[in-house]
Amino acid sequence: MYTKKQVKSRHAHKGYADGYRQGLRDGACESLASHIQPPSPIKHDVRVLYIPQGFESIDQGIIEALSLTVRELHVSEPGRMAEQAALLRP
């Protein structure tokens, strides 16, 4: 039988060892991520009309991503969608 102190010590040692391994893994991942450049997005020769859906963070992310990958991006209000689509012919 183990005493409470021995059990606690064994658990602590296992916790420290697990934390050390996790730290090594996280450090290796961070190191690789800082040295690898992501590929540049491919610009597609298209015109896109984007109508925001009302979720500000999501809409902003979509607009930023589209602006990096399409030749021409137009953002319009839902009420003007048909008018803009006829004018821009996306």
Side-chain angles (χ1 to χ4, degrees):
M1 240 26 238
Y2 294 106
T3 66
K4 267 187 164 181
K5 188 175 182 179
Q6 288 172 324
V7 170
K8 188 175 180 180
S9 176
R10 288 180 65 211
H11 288 292
H13 179 70
K14 183 180 179 336
Y16 292 137
D18 289 347
Y20 183 79
R21 282 191 299 277
Q22 183 70 32
L24 282 176
R25 182 187 160 282
D26 289 351
C29 290
E30 286 291 325
S31 178
L32 283 173
S34 68
H35 287 88
I36 296 174
Q37 292 291 338
S40 299
I42 297 170
K43 272 275 203 208
H44 299 279
D45 190 25
V46 294
R47 179 182 304 132
V48 174
L49 173 61
Y50 179 71
I51 308 300
Q53 303 300 301
F55 302 99
E56 192 173 324
S57 296
I58 295 172
D59 288 333
Q60 191 59 37
I62 291 171
I63 290 168
E64 288 175 18
L66 283 171
S67 67
L68 295 173
T69 59
V70 300
R71 174 180 50 92
E72 205 174 316
L73 173 64
H74 299 272
V75 180
S76 183
E77 301 167 1
R80 298 188 62 211
M81 179 172 48
E83 173 191 341
Q84 290 294 307
L87 179 68
L88 299 170
R89 303 199 34 93

